[in-house]
């Protein structure tokens, strides 16, 4: 049996410094991979084997849980003197080459040709964004390790044998960095647990909130009419009005703009109905999106068209729901510019988008008529009549 080698603090610290620097280099490489994946359609595709590749959500969930645990251990090792270089080196190696490597591979994985995508582009993109965020927060950990190790190495060189441990400031930095990593990991775990449904509902509610805010601003603008009679009554004092009022008056809705005011009233009624559509879609379509996908049994338009599967239909729906608040912003700009023709055209575009969203998922995900089917027909009639 070979004798155990004696601990060598200098050698162990030097090795720890190397591991910390290598980990930082790995993190830079991983972050670059995720950045490129967001600007390119190229992603890691599992090799063709007889085995079914693991669900990326399961892999990311498992590795995120491990990362959180390893971070806690590293935090304790950094806070507890003396600095145990070998234990920290091993833990950093486990994270850099093991946990993070698996997490990145899962985040970059894309379905093979012909394989159904059960995550969808929206969730895959969100996972990559959140994994990149986790990497960004975790980069503080090897930086702290490097700082502690280099300082301890300097202390040994000047003959300071006893490790007195981190200062209060260092302790706060370790605890703060650990807390930030925990938060990022918890957010990523929440996305994994909520899956596709949780994400699309969250996004749709955010867009509905944006739509609601835009409509409220437009309503307030319509109520803030320019009063020509009051301006004349002010007499010569009018020329000394605050400059903000002078410039604001250029795009106020005048009391004489009856046609534009009527168009605004119509727009607000229609936009309120569009907001109602968001509510119905969230409840009747997004929250009940299936975990397994039945084949589409009907086509839209030409019979030669390939029917959209559930995930394709969901992503098309989300694209429309995302675009509507932007169209409403354009509509508001038309009103603010007192451009009646522009406002009218943009309102028609907004209504077309909303009706296309309702038509896209008029039937259930299984391709059957249901409560929403009948409701959407009444909704379209109300929108056209308003």
């Amino acid at each position: 049996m070979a004798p155990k080698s004696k601990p060598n603090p200098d050698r162990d610290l030097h090795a720890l410094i190397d591991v910390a620097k290598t980990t930082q280099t790995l993190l830079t490489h991983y972050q670059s991979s995720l950045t490129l994946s967001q600007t390119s359609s190229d992603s890691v595709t599992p090799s063709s084997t007889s085995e079914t590749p693991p669900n990326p959500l399961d892999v990311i969930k498992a590795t995120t849980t491990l990362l959180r645990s390893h971070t806690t251990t590293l935090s304790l090792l950094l806070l507890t003197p003396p600095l145990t270089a070998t234990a920290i080196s091993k833990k950093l190696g486990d994270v850099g080459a093991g946990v993070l490597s698996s997490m990145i591979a899962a985040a970059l994985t894309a379905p093979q040709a012909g394989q159904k995508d059960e995550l969808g582009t929206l969730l895959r993109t969100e996972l990559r964004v959140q994994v990149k965020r986790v990497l960004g927060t975790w980069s503080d950990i090897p930086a702290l390790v490097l700082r502690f190790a280099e300082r301890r190495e300097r202390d040994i060189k000047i003959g300071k044998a006893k490790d007195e441990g981190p200062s209060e400031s260092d302790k706060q930095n370790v605890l703060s960095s650990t807390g930030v990593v925990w938060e990022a990991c918890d957010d990523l775990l929440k996305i994994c647990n909520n899956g596709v449904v949780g994400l699309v509902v969250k996004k749709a509610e955010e867009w509905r909130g944006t739509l609601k805010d835009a409509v409220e601003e437009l309503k307030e603008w319509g109520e803030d009419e320019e009063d020509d009679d009051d301006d004349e009554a002010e007499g010569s004092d009018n020329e000394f009005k605050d400059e903000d009022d002078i410039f604001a008056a250029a795009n106020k809705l005048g009391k004489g703009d009856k046609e534009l005011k009527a168009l605004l009233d119509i727009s607000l009624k229609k936009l309120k109905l569009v907001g109602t559509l968001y509510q119905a879609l969230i409840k009747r379509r997004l929250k009940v999106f299936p975990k397994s996908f039945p084949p589409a049994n009907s086509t839209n338009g030409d019979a030669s068209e390939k029917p959209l599967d559930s995930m394709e239909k969901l992503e098309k729906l989300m694209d429309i729901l995302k675009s509507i608040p932007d169209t409403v912003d354009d509509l508001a700009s038309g009103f603010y510019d007192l451009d009646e023709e522009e406002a009218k055209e943009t309102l028609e575009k907004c209504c077309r988008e909303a009706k296309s969203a309702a038509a896209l998922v008029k039937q259930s995900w299984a391709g059957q008529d249901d409560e929403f089917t009948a409701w959407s027909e009444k909704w379209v009639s109300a929108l056209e009549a308003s």
Side-chain angles (χ1 to χ4, degrees):
M1 184 175 177
K4 280 187 177 182
S5 59
K6 293 183 179 180
N8 185 326
D10 287 334
R11 182 190 60 203
D12 294 342
L13 281 170
H14 186 71
L16 176 57
I17 290 170
D18 284 345
V19 171
K21 289 180 178 179
T22 300
T23 303
Q24 289 180 316
T25 302
L26 270 176
L27 281 171
T28 301
H29 170 69
Y30 290 152
Q31 288 174 310
S32 297
S33 299
L34 291 168
T35 300
L36 288 172
S37 75
Q38 293 169 30
T39 57
S40 169
S41 58
D42 297 331
S43 297
V44 177
T45 305
S47 57
S48 180
T49 64
S50 57
E51 296 182 3
T52 302
N55 187 319
L57 277 182
D58 293 338
V59 176
I60 293 175
K61 184 177 178 180
T63 51
T64 303
T65 302
L66 273 175
L67 180 63
R68 198 183 192 285
S69 175
H70 286 329
T71 303
T72 303
T73 303
L74 281 167
S75 175
L76 292 173
L77 288 171
L78 289 174
L79 292 173
T80 308
L83 192 70
T84 50
T86 52
I88 297 174
S89 292
K90 184 179 184 309
K91 191 61 65 175
L92 273 183
D94 290 343
V95 172
V99 176
L100 294 182
S101 177
S102 298
M103 182 188 291
I104 300 303
L108 293 176
T109 299
Q112 298 183 54
Q115 181 184 24
K116 280 188 177 291
D117 184 3
E118 297 196 1
L119 298 187
T121 303
L122 192 65
L123 181 54
R124 289 184 184 279
T125 300
E126 185 69 16
L127 286 171
R128 289 169 189 172
V129 168
Q130 293 302 323
V131 167
K132 187 177 179 183
R133 178 190 167 209
V134 167
L135 293 183
T137 62
W138 201 79
S139 64
D140 286 344
I141 303 301
L144 284 169
V145 170
L146 185 61
R147 187 196 311 170
F148 279 42
E150 288 179 338
R151 184 174 59 200
R152 183 61 191 139
E153 189 178 52
R154 287 194 300 270
D155 287 348
I156 291 175
K157 285 180 180 179
I158 63 175
K160 193 174 181 180
K162 184 179 179 182
D163 184 354
E164 297 178 352
S167 64
E168 285 302 316
S169 175
D170 285 333
K171 288 179 182 178
Q172 289 303 314
N173 286 335
V174 171
L175 293 173
S176 175
S177 297
T178 302
V180 172
V181 172
W182 284 352
E183 182 181 359
C185 287
D186 290 345
D187 288 345
L188 181 51
L189 286 171
K190 187 176 181 180
I191 291 172
C192 292
N193 289 329
N194 291 341
V196 174
V197 171
L199 180 62
V200 296
V201 168
K202 178 175 177 287
K203 292 290 186 182
E205 287 176 341
E206 289 175 354
W207 296 330
R208 177 176 171 265
T210 302
L211 172 63
K212 185 178 178 181
D213 291 342
V215 172
E216 190 60 34
E217 288 181 11
L218 191 55
K219 181 181 177 182
E220 290 177 1
W221 174 80
E223 292 171 349
D224 185 24
E225 295 177 314
E226 181 183 3
D227 193 335
D228 297 329
D229 294 336
D230 289 345
D231 288 344
E232 291 175 5
E234 288 178 6
S236 59
D237 289 341
N238 196 39
E239 62 186 280
F240 299 108
K241 288 169 65 178
D242 182 86
E243 68 174 23
D244 289 339
D245 290 338
I246 294 174
F247 291 110
N251 68 348
K252 281 186 177 180
L253 180 62
K255 285 191 172 183
D257 295 330
K258 292 182 179 180
E259 291 184 1
L260 193 61
K261 181 67 168 67
L263 179 59
L264 176 62
D265 292 341
I266 292 171
S267 298
L268 292 173
K269 288 178 183 178
K270 289 183 181 293
L271 293 178
K272 184 177 179 180
L273 284 169
V274 174
T276 303
L277 175 64
Y278 272 76
Q279 287 179 295
L281 288 171
I282 290 169
K283 181 179 179 181
R284 301 294 182 181
R285 290 294 180 258
L286 301 185
K287 287 186 176 181
V288 297
F289 186 71
K291 291 183 178 179
S292 59
F293 308 118
N297 61 4
S298 63
T299 59
N300 295 324
D302 194 292
S304 64
E305 290 183 11
K306 177 180 178 289
L308 295 174
D309 67 22
S310 295
M311 182 56 74
E312 290 174 326
K313 193 175 289 188
L314 175 67
E315 294 191 336
K316 190 173 181 180
L317 174 64
M318 296 304 287
D319 285 341
I320 299 171
L321 295 183
K322 182 181 180 181
S323 70
I324 289 175
D326 292 334
T327 304
V328 173
D329 282 341
D330 293 338
L331 172 63
S333 296
F335 277 110
Y336 299 157
D337 292 339
L338 306 180
D339 189 335
E340 183 181 348
E341 194 60 35
E342 177 67 21
K344 188 179 295 184
E345 290 177 3
T346 310
L347 176 62
E348 290 174 356
K349 178 185 176 183
C350 182
C351 291
R352 284 197 305 271
E353 289 174 337
K355 285 192 285 187
S356 69
L360 182 66
V361 289
K362 183 176 181 179
Q363 292 184 315
S364 70
W365 298 112
Q368 304 295 322
D369 288 349
D370 60 7
E371 290 181 5
F372 180 83
T373 306
W375 181 91
S376 65
E377 292 175 353
K378 294 177 182 178
W379 178 85
V380 170
S381 297
L383 183 70
E384 292 176 345
S386 62

